[in-house]
Amino acid sequence: MPELPEVETVVRELREEICGDIISSVEIFRSNPIVQGDLDTFQEQLCGRKFMDVKRRAKYLIFDLEPKRYLVAHLRMTGKFIVSEPLLEPTKHNRVWFNLESGRQMIFDDIRCFGTLEVYDDLADSKSLQKLGIEPLSKAMTLGYFIKNLGSSKREIKSVMLDQKIIAGLGNIYVSEILFRSRINPQRSTGSINKKEWSLIIKYTKYILQEAIKNNGTTISDFRRVDDKTGAFQQFLQVYDKKGMPCTECGTPIQRIVQQQRSTFFCPECQR
Ligand SMILES: [Zn+2]
C-alpha cells in the first residue's frame, strides 16, 4: 500500500504534469467503489475545471480546482495515477479517465478497486480528512505531543504508529524501518517509551520519510510513479520483508511477527 513518501512522490509529479490543464471530460469504466455517489454528478462537478495545485494530506491526494472545488483521492492498495498521451481503449484496470484540454489524459488505474475519488466544495466536509492526526514532517511532530497523548498508553508502539488518527501517513513498511533505526521493539507499550526513545522515533521518522521521498518512494510490488516507473527506496530497507536475513547491525536473523493481522519485521537483538 502506498504510504506518505509514495503519495508525496505522485503528488509532486502530478503537480508538474497537470497544473494549468483543464478537465474536458471524465470517462468512468468501473465506478463502484471508486466514485462515491452518482456518476453523472461526478462528471458534471469536474468538467471544465482547471487544476490549480495538487497537495497531500496523510495518504490522500487533494487536487485544487478552479472554479473552486476539490477532488480528493486515496490510492488504498493498488490505485495509481498515470499521465499519458490519450489511449484509444482503456486497459484492463483503468477505472477513470480525466481527458485534459491539452490532449493528454490523467488515468486513475486500480487493480483491486479499493481506491476512492471524492469531490468537495469545502474540504471541511470531508469526514476522512477531519479525522487525521498530525503530519510527521510538520512542526506538530514533537516530543510534547507524544508524551501528552501517549505517555501512559498500554497500546503497542507499532499499532500506535500505524494509527492515522495519531500520526497520519505511515504504514507497515516505514514503521518497521523507523522502529529498527530507533532500536525499539515493536511490541513495547507506548507508555514504556522514555523521552530519549521518543526523540529517536521522531528523528528517524523524519529522516526515513525524507530519504524515501528523495528516492521517489518504495516499490515492493504495485507502487508506480506517474510515468509508470518504480520508486527506489526499497534498496535501502533494512528490515521490512527481510525475514531470516542477517541484521545489518548485528547479524541476527530478522524476525517476522504478526501484529493486528499485519506483518512486522524487526531484529530481536537490536530492538529491545
Ligand atoms: Zn540487529
Side-chain angles (χ1 to χ4, degrees):
M1 182 194 253
E3 304 180 28
L4 187 155
E6 290 74 49
V7 177
E8 181 65 28
T9 299
V10 172
V11 161
R12 289 180 184 192
E13 293 180 342
L14 284 174
R15 194 183 289 143
E16 287 292 311
E17 294 285 344
I18 61 166
C19 278
D21 218 330
I22 293 171
I23 303 170
S24 53
S25 61
V26 180
E27 292 174 77
I28 299 166
F29 304 105
R30 176 165 170 185
S31 57
N32 194 30
I34 289 169
V35 177
Q36 319 290 319
D38 175 64
L39 296 188
D40 291 338
T41 308
F42 181 79
Q43 288 163 320
E44 275 168 34
Q45 283 172 323
L46 297 174
C47 285
R49 287 180 199 252
K50 188 192 233 180
F51 287 107
M52 302 304 288
D53 199 2
V54 189
K55 296 177 198 155
R56 181 190 59 74
R57 172 76 173 104
K59 299 179 203 171
Y60 289 86
L61 297 94
I62 302 172
F63 298 82
D64 281 11
L65 303 169
E66 192 66 51
K68 193 177 157 229
R69 192 157 277 169
Y70 303 93
L71 172 66
V72 178
H74 199 299
L75 306 173
R76 300 290 169 199
M77 300 289 283
T78 54
K80 58 183 177 180
F81 281 100
I82 302 156
V83 178
S84 74
E85 296 307 313
L87 301 179
L88 293 173
E89 292 287 329
T91 62
K92 192 175 170 198
H93 302 296
N94 284 182
R95 298 304 180 222
V96 183
W97 282 0
F98 298 88
N99 300 313
L100 306 174
E101 281 194 357
S102 64
R104 306 172 80 203
Q105 265 174 345
M106 180 173 81
I107 299 165
F108 186 68
D109 183 277
D110 193 4
I111 297 170
R112 297 187 62 185
C113 285
F114 292 125
T116 57
L117 299 174
E118 295 169 280
V119 179
Y120 295 100
D121 284 345
D122 187 343
L123 287 179
D125 294 334
S126 161
K127 289 195 179 77
S128 345
L129 292 178
Q130 301 318 312
K131 280 189 265 179
L132 294 169
I134 57 168
E135 280 288 326
L137 291 175
S138 76
K139 286 187 181 136
M141 179 88 172
T142 61
L143 188 57
Y145 177 79
F146 292 106
I147 306 278
K148 179 170 169 249
N149 293 290
L150 302 165
S152 56
S153 168
K154 289 193 173 65
R155 293 176 65 191
E156 288 177 341
I157 182 64
K158 164 84 188 299
S159 313
V160 164
M161 292 188 70
L162 287 178
D163 186 341
Q164 302 298 300
K165 294 193 286 297
I166 296 171
I167 315 173
L170 299 179
N172 229 17
I173 297 174
Y174 295 107
V175 170
S176 286
E177 295 297 315
I178 291 162
L179 291 176
F180 173 72
R181 301 276 187 130
S182 310
R183 299 188 159 242
I184 289 166
N185 187 298
Q187 291 176 296
R188 276 181 58 187
S189 74
T190 49
S192 77
I193 290 172
N194 65 35
K195 282 186 184 175
K196 195 175 157 200
E197 291 170 324
W198 277 123
S199 300
L200 289 173
I201 290 175
I202 293 167
K203 172 181 157 186
Y204 285 115
T205 298
K206 289 180 187 274
Y207 174 75
I208 286 175
L209 293 178
Q210 278 158 351
E211 287 299 303
I213 291 169
K214 270 188 216 161
N215 284 280
N216 302 305
T218 299
T219 300
I220 302 279
S221 57
D222 295 301
F223 171 66
R224 293 292 182 279
R225 300 165 58 188
V226 296
D227 56 5
D228 220 22
K229 291 192 181 118
T230 61
F233 193 69
Q234 57 279 11
Q235 58 189 310
F236 301 106
L237 298 177
Q238 293 184 299
V239 287
Y240 185 81
D241 211 17
K242 309 255 182 228
K243 183 186 168 192
M245 290 168 73
C247 167
T248 50
E249 295 294 314
C250 74
T252 303
I254 299 298
Q255 277 190 13
R256 174 186 175 274
I257 54 168
V258 176
Q259 291 175 284
Q260 293 190 313
Q261 293 97 47
R262 303 179 73 185
S263 301
T264 300
F265 298 90
F266 73 108
C267 172
E269 193 59 37
C270 293
Q271 292 173 261
R272 297 287 184 161

